[in-house]
Amino acid sequence: MRSHFRACMAWLHTWTGVVFGWLLYLVFLTGTAGYFDTEIDQWMNPGLTIARPGQAQAEYAELALAQLHQRSPEAERWFIVLPVDRNDPLPRIIWRPPAPAAGGSAFLDPATGQPLTLSHSYGGQLLYRMHYELHYMPSAVGIWIVGVAAMGMLVALITGVVVHKKIFTDFFTFRPGKGPRSWLDAHNVLSVTCLPFFLMITYSGLIFFAFTYMPLIAAASYGDTPAGRQAFRAEVFEGGDTYPRAGRPAPLAALGPMLAQAAARWGDGRVNGIDIRQPGDAGARVMLWQGERTPLRRSEIMVFDGVSGELLETRPAVPAGAKAAHDLLLGLHEGLFANLPLRLLYFASGLAGAAMIATGLVLWTTKRRQRAERGGESPHFGLRLVERLNVGTVIGLPIGIACYFWANRLLPETLAGRPAWEAHMLFLGWAAMLLHAASRPRQRLWAEQAAVAALAYLLLPALNAMTSGRHLVASLAQGDAVFAGFDLAMLFIGAAWAAAAFKFRRAAGRAQAGAERRAESRRMAPASN
């Protein structure tokens, strides 16, 4: 009975991975890039002036307030995002008038306070958004597709634990050069090493859109009406605080003294958000949010009277009960609280997840091809199709991302719809690799595409030097961590693909020699008889 149960779990693990594997690979790869989305934004918008985090907050606040007065004086809510760390490199304003459709947001030039037109590139935000809403489709459809795949990932992880008889032994076992056994060892090592991360990132990703996937939960308590949905959002996502208008006009108090009180409590330059409710009304309230330092997604909140500037209350950092658990999971998923070493650990774990999925896909095809060859059968069409799709996705998608970076430097500045064309080049590069996988001999595919990936990434720093003038040596000398870090990362990734191309080429040579020996043995067999 137990062996039958484990066999059922193994079947479920295998086919869940095969069905959702390519999509999950995309989600993991683009989501992993999202942990450095701000740095990618800056590299892909080299002319952007970045604010000094934590400095001149009162000045930034007044510049932002002037823009909000100009853009939406009748708004029910204004929100100002101040630069505190890498997560918010630019001041930003958000406004919500009584008519929700009239709301909006804008980034501000930190020097002038004027709105910025970020038309040069989508930057890292394209990759970040792709991991949960895909591309070329309505975001709601993409969110649902990714949600189904994430549920499949959770099933694959749980069934994978069930079928592992020697999960701790697998942590220390890797036998290179053993065909399917080596792919299985690699898959097991990657799976076991980062298993807690995989479980956390998959489950918390589902929690992110839990109320989209299960809307009736909220409707049961709040009602399926616009007012009910608004009350639900206010309580769950905004802490339940509502401030009605008093109906009497009154000027907004100066923000400088409020920021000074926050600095006295939290330290200089730690205010990340200024939330202004009912501006211009006698019932106005101003809430100051501290920059994120923990996975709970928010720290203390100081609430001021918006007219007198008096401090009314200081709310604790940790919300109560279920909301604390909800915020913790979302904060762990985003990793916005993480310093550089921890973000590098997030990044490495995400790459391990992509590699785990890739090795699982390759293992499926390798075992079935070996089984067919032992039985003297020709591999069926489905197996041959999956083999080529594996190569075109596992290596083709990273090449597509490299094409995205190349397009950023090579497309004309005056090109209409330039950011969209950068995205098109990502998918065109990926499509080219899929066509290559469909047209070249199977034994050469991995080595050839890995060589292309190596060149695409290794040459990016040279391209950057020629087109932006910000070469690696100058970036290091100037202490430009973003540009130096990006170039070094591209060199490291390119070197990794070059090493992989070398190994794939040697493996293909051994496989070709083995095939020739087997063919020679079959030709000699009738003569010896």
Side-chain angles (χ1 to χ4, degrees), residues 35 197 200 331-333 335 337-338 342-350:
Y35 288 118
F197 175 82
M200 179 277 292
L332 286 172
H333 187 97
F337 66 95
L342 187 52
R343 275 193 296 123
L344 287 171
L345 183 59
Y346 265 91
F347 185 79
S349 300

Side-chain angles (χ1 to χ4, degrees), residues 56-66 68 80 82 91 255-256 259 274:
Q57 288 206 320
E59 180 182 345
Y60 288 147
E62 292 301 329
L63 290 172
L65 201 58
L68 287 166
I80 301 171
L82 298 177
L255 297 179
L259 292 169
I274 304 175

Side-chain angles (χ1 to χ4, degrees), residues 4-279:
H4 176 69
F5 174 74
R6 182 171 277 120
C8 291
M9 293 297 100
W11 181 91
L12 185 58
H13 177 81
T14 298
W15 286 102
T16 302
V18 171
V19 170
F20 296 110
W22 299 310
L23 177 57
L24 288 170
Y25 181 76
L26 178 146
V27 169
F28 261 81
L29 204 60
T30 55
T32 299
Y35 288 118
F36 287 93
D37 58 341
T38 302
E39 288 75 13
I40 297 173
D41 287 345
Q42 293 179 37
W43 188 87
M44 298 185 74
N45 292 278
L48 205 58
T49 301
I50 303 302
R52 295 166 294 144
Q55 301 295 317
Q57 288 206 320
E59 180 182 345
Y60 288 147
E62 292 301 329
L63 290 172
L65 201 58
Q67 286 293 326
L68 287 166
H69 275 293
Q70 178 180 339
R71 285 176 172 266
S72 187
E74 77 291 348
E76 293 181 342
R77 186 179 182 185
W78 290 338
F79 201 89
I80 301 171
V81 179
L82 298 177
V84 172
D85 51 31
R86 61 164 294 277
N87 296 317
D88 296 298
L90 294 171
R92 186 184 181 196
I93 56 174
I94 304 167
W95 58 93
R96 293 185 184 174
S105 65
F107 289 98
L108 303 181
D109 188 310
T112 66
Q114 294 302 308
L116 286 172
T117 303
L118 301 178
S119 59
H120 183 82
S121 174
Y122 292 142
Q125 301 311 307
L126 174 78
L127 301 175
Y128 169 73
R129 295 181 71 87
M130 274 177 60
H131 98 279
Y132 66 89
E133 64 179 22
L134 305 180
H135 200 62
Y136 297 126
M137 64 182 65
S139 60
V141 175
I143 287 169
W144 269 99
I145 293 173
V146 172
V148 173
M151 183 59 71
M153 178 72 176
L154 196 59
V155 169
L157 289 172
I158 295 171
T159 54
V161 172
V162 172
V163 300
H164 266 75
K165 294 181 180 179
K166 303 176 181 178
I167 188 168
F168 294 107
T169 303
D170 288 338
F171 182 82
F172 301 100
T173 304
F174 179 66
R175 287 156 286 191
K178 301 294 183 182
R181 182 71 252 184
S182 298
W183 286 109
L184 179 59
D185 287 346
H187 183 68
N188 289 339
V189 168
L190 291 165
S191 303
V192 175
T193 303
C194 299
L195 181 61
F197 175 82
F198 300 150
L199 289 169
M200 179 277 292
I201 210 72
T202 304
Y203 182 70
S204 60
L206 289 166
I207 294 297
F208 241 103
F209 296 103
F211 301 112
T212 299
Y213 303 140
M214 297 179 289
L216 295 181
I217 292 176
S221 299
Y222 294 87
D224 191 19
T225 64
R229 289 190 288 271
Q230 183 176 358
F232 166 75
R233 286 193 298 269
E235 183 169 343
V236 174
F237 298 108
E238 299 172 9
D241 42 289
T242 56
Y243 299 102
R245 299 185 74 87
R248 302 188 309 276
L252 188 68
L255 297 179
M258 303 182 202
L259 292 169
Q261 290 189 57
R265 184 177 181 87
W266 298 332
D268 290 336
R270 290 305 309 164
V271 177
N272 189 208
I274 304 175
D275 189 355
I276 305 172
R277 306 292 181 90
Q278 309 301 349

Side-chain angles (χ1 to χ4, degrees), residues 208 292 294-299 326-328 330-332 334:
F208 241 103
E292 292 186 38
T294 72
L296 285 171
R297 305 186 82 217
R298 75 176 191 183
S299 299
H326 175 269
D327 288 355
L328 176 64
L330 268 56
L332 286 172
E334 291 179 312

Side-chain angles (χ1 to χ4, degrees), residues 373-515:
E373 290 176 349
R374 281 200 303 262
E377 302 173 358
S378 297
H380 57 79
F381 172 77
L383 174 58
R384 298 196 305 273
L385 176 64
V386 173
E387 283 179 328
R388 294 175 182 275
L389 287 175
N390 280 350
V391 183
T393 299
V394 171
I395 306 183
L397 177 58
I399 291 173
I401 293 174
C403 291
Y404 179 55
F405 297 146
W406 277 76
N408 175 260
R409 290 295 191 258
L410 294 178
L411 289 177
E413 295 286 340
T414 56
L415 178 65
R418 190 179 191 278
W421 272 105
E422 289 180 359
H424 297 334
M425 294 307 297
L426 187 158
F427 289 97
L428 287 172
W430 185 6
M433 292 301 100
L434 288 170
L435 289 174
H436 171 269
S439 58
R440 295 288 294 162
R442 177 184 61 84
Q443 295 85 352
R444 300 180 184 178
L445 287 178
W446 288 97
E448 289 179 354
Q449 293 213 8
V452 173
L455 288 173
Y457 283 96
L458 286 172
L459 294 177
L460 261 173
L463 175 69
N464 174 54
M466 290 186 292
T467 54
S468 72
R470 301 171 77 164
H471 56 82
L472 178 58
V473 175
S475 298
L476 290 170
Q478 297 166 9
D480 189 338
V482 170
F483 274 73
F486 190 95
D487 283 352
L488 289 171
M490 296 303 103
L491 291 173
F492 177 81
I493 294 171
W497 280 119
F502 177 74
K503 288 185 176 295
F504 287 142
R505 184 176 179 182
R506 290 185 61 183
R510 288 195 300 268
Q512 181 66 27

